Amino acid sequence: MKACGLIVEYNPFHNGHVYHIQEAKKTAEADCMIAVMSGDFLQRGEPAIIDKFHRVRAALASGIDLVLELPYPYAVQSSDLFAKGSVQTLYQAGVDSICFGSESGDISHFITSYEIFKENEAGFKEMLQSGLQNGLSFPEASRHAYEKIGLSGGEMDLTKPNNILGFSYVKEILEQQLPIKPLTITRTSSGYHQQTISGSIASATSIRKELLTHESITKTANDTMPAATIKQLKDYISHASSWHTWENYFQLVYYRVMTMSEQELAAIHGVDEGLEFRIKKTAKQAESFHDWIEKIKTKRYTWTRLQRIFVHILTNTKKSDIKDIESGSTVPYIRLLGMTKTGQNYLNKIKQNMEIPIISSFSRNKHPVQQLEEKAVKAYYSILCPKNRQELFKQELLAPIITE
Amino acid sequence: MKACGLIVEYNPFHNGHVYHIQEAKKTAEADCMIAVMSGDFLQRGEPAIIDKFHRVRAALASGIDLVLELPYPYAVQSSDLFAKGSVQTLYQAGVDSICFGSESGDISHFITSYEIFKENEAGFKEMLQSGLQNGLSFPEASRHAYEKIGLSGGEMDLTKPNNILGFSYVKEILEQQLPIKPLTITRTSSGYHQQTISGSIASATSIRKELLTHESITKTANDTMPAATIKQLKDYISHASSWHTWENYFQLVYYRVMTMSEQELAAIHGVDEGLEFRIKKTAKQAESFHDWIEKIKTKRYTWTRLQRIFVHILTNTKKSDIKDIESGSTVPYIRLLGMTKTGQNYLNKIKQNMEIPIISSFSRNKHPVQQLEEKAVKAYYSILCPKNRQELFKQELLAPIITE
């Protein structure tokens, strides 16, 4: 059985994702489609609008055979650590290929870019450091560094965020010499961050915007997602009464910051260079979460970076919690969230030879990484009423979802 | 000018308090009535139903001349530390006497009790320790120990909670040989913890119950409080939209516990003997704050003690924060909340000779005790919307309230 891996967030799962699964399956000639998916908090530092289990069910209904969880300490990170966690999870799950979407749709561009990068790595790092020292944000400094080594514009523009993620996957595969074939397919016309919907294929950003603005599933939103997603969105709302947004967490994270000392805040992952003082100072005037980030934002601290930091404050994730993740060469376990019969057959074949344990539910003796995951889940559900959060949390204790 | 000190919480300020002020003033032949008042969290481990400033205004309108704040790390404590903070604050403010309410109304009973206690202190402590070792709660073990040394029943029953506080004040005065005359006056007929209201004098407990049950100031409640209190209650509600109860803080404290490790929880003041595991375990099933405490409660951990612990969790107050308080012989400063002209005259006379600083608003360089106070205030207002909490917090930065 040939397996193809996808790196996903499915926030929410939409028609563009269905298209990507189908195209990837053809390109990879795969029998089993494996997705590694972020949990309740996402790479750009946001809560997912619905929880992971409801997103898993939508994916299993539309072509994914196996859903593995990207553990929290890899999921809410910049591209390098995010790519390491995702690619290593798929590697441990024995995929033959990893297929991601890109604008060029040509994998040779990514491979050539990696070769150019490796040849000029010293120069790149030097340029990056000097940019950071001059007060640039990480993305800005990277952009300058990529420009310097000739990786901007043209066929492979590493100054575009979506190319950066794809490039990071390819880099992790080639750097670690993993026996995985990197593949890419052309993205559908809708841009990654497109804000408005036109037709049945739309960006997740525009779909979320539509859902949250209208606080319901409008006809426009409905047309962009498979029936299984609509069912899961409705089911989630029936438990949780609203979708999750940062504003719902504003009171909790404000409260936490207000009852932490500066030293405690500085121990949180990502809070560096005196940012603790700026976070505390701006809290007093913040009218909303959005307003708070606006007040903190600097050239150096981008919106996305600050959102990620706030997720770590919300979940009380410390620098010391992430240290082992950063230095480790692979992931400590595979957490299985759901599977089809095909996925189950695949898993039965590969599991004897696996190097790391497969975990399904939260166990009594949790790995430190799973302890971080548990705190994130608890924080995610904290905004719900006791009955609902108890009911939804139970999903973490059950066996993985199995569908036909 | 002769000053008499009162130790108060005024939650809320009611007719019984007016009566106590008048009687105390007569008994003490005082020109200036000074109250040391707990801030936003109270001795029994509860949020005050309205903030300190609104309670200060009500008191200044009804016979109190000077209101000093009992700092948070003394206020939310068992009787010994509470008494130390209150009596020492009044001592530093130069009071000639301290007058408290009691059932007997005879100060000689308290003085005699103290003498008996001192003579039998070794036996008392031994009995107390043995009770605690046998799993009794602190109040239960104390009761047995007081019984053993003959301080139960009769004229001076130290097994009654209200007598314990009075006894602790007298003990602090005599033990430290402070130049303060202890005085007591008979309580009005309404018992300290009486649950229902009859007439114009009622317990604070019964008044809070009436206010919170009806979510408004009923005629019954109205009749038990001076007009100034009614005005302040209404004014507070116009800012805060609801009175403060533990249930309003349930989500915050649940969220905090769920994102703390057991080790972090064990560092909180009052969390001892593995209580951290019990708090975490019961959180999952708790339907409300009340339900949570019910699930944690044991013979040893009484309701009041647990509520106090939960205030410390809410405010993130650690064992290490309280260490200096426990070993210190007096309070580090006097925080002035409000005064009448009489109070102001008194203050002008005594302030040259004061040993410790007088602080009015939150300053930039806060004493560690004031840092704890600030965290408590921030936690207290956290449940309000941003606009309201900002507006109410501003009161902490203003000069003290001055009334005619």
Side-chain angles (χ1 to χ4, degrees):
Chain A
M1 266 176 109
K2 238 173 141 181
C4 172
L6 308 181
I7 296 164
V8 305
E9 301 211 302
Y10 294 158
N11 182 38
F13 186 88
H14 58 61
N15 292 339
H17 296 129
V18 179
Y19 170 83
H20 181 75
I21 295 167
Q22 289 165 349
E23 291 299 302
K25 196 166 183 173
K26 268 188 269 174
T27 309
E29 297 173 339
D31 311 294
C32 180
M33 296 302 290
I34 305 182
V36 57
M37 190 183 85
S38 306
D40 294 328
F41 292 97
L42 307 176
Q43 204 251 331
R44 289 172 56 80
E46 284 170 335
I49 62 164
I50 59 172
D51 75 359
K52 53 182 140 175
F53 298 102
H54 287 74
R55 280 145 58 222
V56 166
R57 284 195 193 87
L60 292 176
S62 303
I64 293 291
D65 297 304
L66 209 52
V67 186
L68 311 176
E69 180 175 83
L70 179 63
Y72 172 81
Y74 299 95
V76 185
Q77 297 284 4
S78 53
S79 54
D80 278 355
L81 217 44
F82 179 83
K84 180 168 145 182
S86 324
V87 171
Q88 288 291 339
T89 299
L90 291 172
Y91 163 64
Q92 296 291 350
V95 297
D96 301 278
S97 60
I98 288 178
C99 183
F100 56 91
S102 66
E103 268 157 74
S104 84
D106 186 343
I107 198 68
S108 72
H109 297 159
F110 287 89
I111 293 170
T112 310
S113 297
Y114 174 73
E115 285 159 0
I116 295 170
F117 173 80
K118 279 313 273 185
E119 275 164 31
N120 299 279
E121 197 169 1
F124 175 87
K125 283 187 175 165
E126 201 179 288
M127 191 70 189
L128 179 69
Q129 277 312 313
S130 115
L132 291 174
Q133 272 158 25
N134 289 326
L136 294 183
S137 69
F138 190 86
E140 272 292 294
S142 302
R143 201 165 65 81
H144 287 288
Y146 284 124
E147 270 167 11
K148 198 193 166 193
I149 63 170
L151 290 174
S152 66
E155 285 177 332
M156 190 60 203
D157 190 347
L158 287 182
T159 65
K160 292 191 176 163
N162 206 35
N163 281 341
I164 281 289
L165 275 179
F167 177 73
S168 303
Y169 306 148
V170 172
K171 188 159 150 255
E172 178 71 16
I173 292 170
L174 299 179
E175 202 111 319
Q176 307 300 324
Q177 301 179 299
L178 302 177
I180 294 174
K181 192 175 178 184
L183 299 172
T184 188
I185 52 179
T186 316
R187 287 197 159 265
T188 51
S189 59
S190 280
Y192 191 49
H193 294 301
Q194 194 190 303
Q195 295 287 322
T196 53
I197 297 177
S198 56
S200 65
I201 301 276
S203 70
T205 306
S206 66
I207 299 170
R208 285 198 301 277
K209 204 179 160 193
E210 177 77 12
L211 292 172
L212 297 170
T213 307
H214 299 279
E215 289 179 22
S216 68
I217 305 167
T218 58
K219 170 84 174 65
T220 308
N222 187 81
D223 291 349
T224 63
M225 294 176 278
T229 300
I230 305 298
K231 189 177 164 220
Q232 294 304 321
L233 282 169
K234 286 183 179 164
D235 185 74
Y236 191 77
I237 281 291
S238 77
H239 291 286
S241 80
S242 97
W243 292 308
H244 295 245
T245 72
W246 249 123
E247 293 304 338
N248 303 141
Y249 294 91
F250 176 44
Q251 188 184 57
L252 295 185
V253 80
Y254 166 86
Y255 154 72
R256 175 156 231 135
V257 166
M258 286 295 101
T259 52
M260 278 173 115
S261 66
E262 274 88 359
Q263 295 90 308
E264 286 174 305
L265 201 47
I268 297 292
H269 176 54
V271 180
D272 295 314
E273 303 160 345
L275 189 66
E276 62 274 20
F277 299 103
R278 200 169 167 84
I279 290 174
K280 282 216 132 189
K281 210 179 141 193
T282 49
K284 289 165 197 159
Q285 283 84 43
E287 302 285 343
S288 64
F289 182 76
H290 189 277
D291 184 41
W292 198 1
I293 300 280
E294 277 292 353
K295 287 186 160 73
I296 303 171
K297 212 178 59 175
T298 60
K299 210 167 141 191
R300 177 132 194 180
Y301 282 90
T302 61
W303 193 279
T304 303
R305 186 171 171 195
L306 286 171
Q307 283 199 145
R308 274 201 286 266
I309 290 170
F310 270 90
V311 175
H312 300 314
I313 296 173
L314 183 74
T315 58
N316 193 24
T317 303
K318 306 210 177 58
K319 291 183 170 81
S320 55
D321 294 325
I322 301 293
K323 234 175 56 191
D324 289 348
I325 299 289
E326 285 169 329
S327 60
S329 62
T330 190
V331 288
Y333 60 81
I334 283 188
R335 166 95 188 270
L336 179 59
L337 292 176
M339 53 196 168
T340 59
K341 291 285 176 206
T342 306
Q344 205 170 10
N345 288 339
Y346 174 82
L347 202 65
N348 285 334
K349 288 210 175 76
I350 65 144
K351 74 178 168 195
Q352 267 93 20
N353 299 320
M354 277 181 63
E355 294 162 14
I356 56 171
I358 300 187
I359 289 171
S360 53
S361 66
F362 279 168
S363 55
R364 193 175 276 267
N365 295 311
K366 285 173 214 70
H367 186 279
V369 167
Q370 218 181 11
Q371 288 173 14
L372 298 179
E373 188 68 48
E374 187 180 18
K375 282 202 293 180
V377 173
K378 292 282 174 86
Y380 184 78
Y381 290 136
S382 278
I383 57 168
L384 307 178
C385 75
K387 199 176 139 284
N388 292 343
R389 69 184 175 220
Q390 283 163 24
E391 203 176 304
L392 287 165
F393 183 75
K394 273 187 202 141
Q395 301 172 104
E396 296 282 358
L397 310 172
L398 300 174
I401 299 160
I402 303 178
T403 62
E404 284 308 310
Chain B
M1 266 175 110
K2 237 174 144 180
C4 173
L6 308 181
I7 296 163
V8 305
E9 301 209 304
Y10 293 159
N11 183 38
F13 186 87
H14 57 61
N15 292 339
H17 296 130
V18 179
Y19 170 83
H20 181 75
I21 296 167
Q22 290 166 349
E23 290 300 302
K25 194 165 183 174
K26 270 189 268 172
T27 309
E29 297 174 340
D31 311 294
C32 181
M33 297 303 288
I34 304 182
V36 57
M37 190 183 85
S38 306
D40 295 328
F41 292 96
L42 306 176
Q43 205 251 331
R44 289 172 55 79
E46 283 170 336
I49 61 164
I50 60 172
D51 76 359
K52 54 183 140 177
F53 298 103
H54 287 74
R55 280 145 57 220
V56 166
R57 284 194 194 87
L60 292 176
S62 303
I64 294 292
D65 297 304
L66 209 52
V67 187
L68 312 175
E69 180 175 83
L70 180 63
Y72 172 82
Y74 299 96
V76 185
Q77 297 285 4
S78 55
S79 55
D80 277 357
L81 217 45
F82 179 84
K84 179 168 145 183
S86 325
V87 170
Q88 288 291 340
T89 299
L90 291 171
Y91 163 65
Q92 297 289 351
V95 298
D96 301 278
S97 60
I98 287 178
C99 183
F100 57 90
S102 66
E103 267 156 74
S104 85
D106 186 343
I107 198 68
S108 72
H109 295 160
F110 287 88
I111 293 170
T112 311
S113 297
Y114 174 73
E115 285 159 359
I116 295 170
F117 172 79
K118 279 313 272 185
E119 275 163 33
N120 300 279
E121 197 169 0
F124 175 87
K125 283 187 174 164
E126 200 179 291
M127 190 70 189
L128 180 67
Q129 278 312 315
S130 114
L132 290 174
Q133 272 159 23
N134 289 327
L136 294 184
S137 69
F138 190 86
E140 271 292 294
S142 302
R143 201 166 64 82
H144 286 288
Y146 283 125
E147 270 168 11
K148 200 195 165 189
I149 64 170
L151 290 174
S152 67
E155 285 178 330
M156 191 59 202
D157 190 347
L158 286 182
T159 65
K160 292 194 176 161
N162 206 34
N163 281 342
I164 281 288
L165 274 178
F167 177 73
S168 302
Y169 306 147
V170 172
K171 188 160 150 254
E172 178 70 18
I173 292 170
L174 299 179
E175 201 110 318
Q176 306 300 325
Q177 301 179 300
L178 302 177
I180 294 174
K181 192 175 178 184
L183 298 171
T184 187
I185 51 179
T186 315
R187 287 197 158 265
T188 52
S189 59
S190 279
Y192 191 49
H193 295 302
Q194 193 189 304
Q195 296 287 322
T196 52
I197 298 177
S198 56
S200 66
I201 302 275
S203 69
T205 307
S206 66
I207 298 170
R208 286 197 300 278
K209 203 179 161 192
E210 177 77 11
L211 292 172
L212 297 170
T213 307
H214 299 278
E215 288 178 24
S216 68
I217 305 166
T218 59
K219 171 87 174 63
T220 308
N222 187 81
D223 292 349
T224 63
M225 293 176 279
T229 301
I230 305 297
K231 190 177 163 221
Q232 294 304 322
L233 282 169
K234 285 183 179 164
D235 185 74
Y236 191 77
I237 281 291
S238 77
H239 291 285
S241 81
S242 98
W243 291 309
H244 295 244
T245 71
W246 250 124
E247 293 303 338
N248 303 143
Y249 294 90
F250 176 44
Q251 189 184 56
L252 294 185
V253 81
Y254 166 86
Y255 154 71
R256 174 155 231 134
V257 165
M258 285 295 103
T259 53
M260 278 172 115
S261 66
E262 274 88 1
Q263 294 91 309
E264 286 175 305
L265 201 47
I268 297 292
H269 176 55
V271 179
D272 296 313
E273 304 159 345
L275 189 65
E276 62 274 21
F277 299 104
R278 200 170 167 84
I279 291 174
K280 281 216 131 188
K281 211 181 139 191
T282 49
K284 290 164 198 160
Q285 283 85 42
E287 302 284 343
S288 64
F289 181 77
H290 189 277
D291 183 41
W292 198 1
I293 301 281
E294 277 292 354
K295 286 186 160 74
I296 303 171
K297 213 177 56 173
T298 59
K299 210 168 143 190
R300 178 135 195 178
Y301 283 90
T302 61
W303 193 278
T304 303
R305 185 170 172 195
L306 287 172
Q307 283 200 144
R308 274 202 287 265
I309 290 171
F310 270 90
V311 175
H312 300 314
I313 296 173
L314 184 73
T315 58
N316 193 23
T317 303
K318 306 210 177 57
K319 291 184 169 85
S320 55
D321 294 324
I322 301 293
K323 234 175 54 189
D324 290 349
I325 299 288
E326 285 169 329
S327 60
S329 62
T330 189
V331 289
Y333 60 81
I334 283 188
R335 166 96 188 270
L336 180 59
L337 291 176
M339 53 195 168
T340 60
K341 291 285 175 206
T342 306
Q344 205 170 10
N345 288 339
Y346 174 81
L347 203 63
N348 285 334
K349 290 211 173 76
I350 64 145
K351 74 179 169 196
Q352 267 92 21
N353 300 320
M354 276 181 62
E355 295 162 14
I356 55 171
I358 301 186
I359 289 171
S360 55
S361 66
F362 279 168
S363 55
R364 195 175 276 267
N365 295 311
K366 285 171 214 72
H367 186 280
V369 166
Q370 218 181 11
Q371 288 173 13
L372 298 180
E373 188 68 48
E374 187 181 17
K375 282 202 294 179
V377 172
K378 292 281 174 85
Y380 184 76
Y381 289 136
S382 278
I383 57 167
L384 307 178
C385 75
K387 199 175 140 282
N388 292 343
R389 70 186 175 218
Q390 283 163 24
E391 203 176 305
L392 288 165
F393 183 75
K394 273 187 202 141
Q395 302 172 104
E396 297 282 357
L397 309 173
L398 301 174
I401 298 160
I402 303 179
T403 63
E404 285 306 310

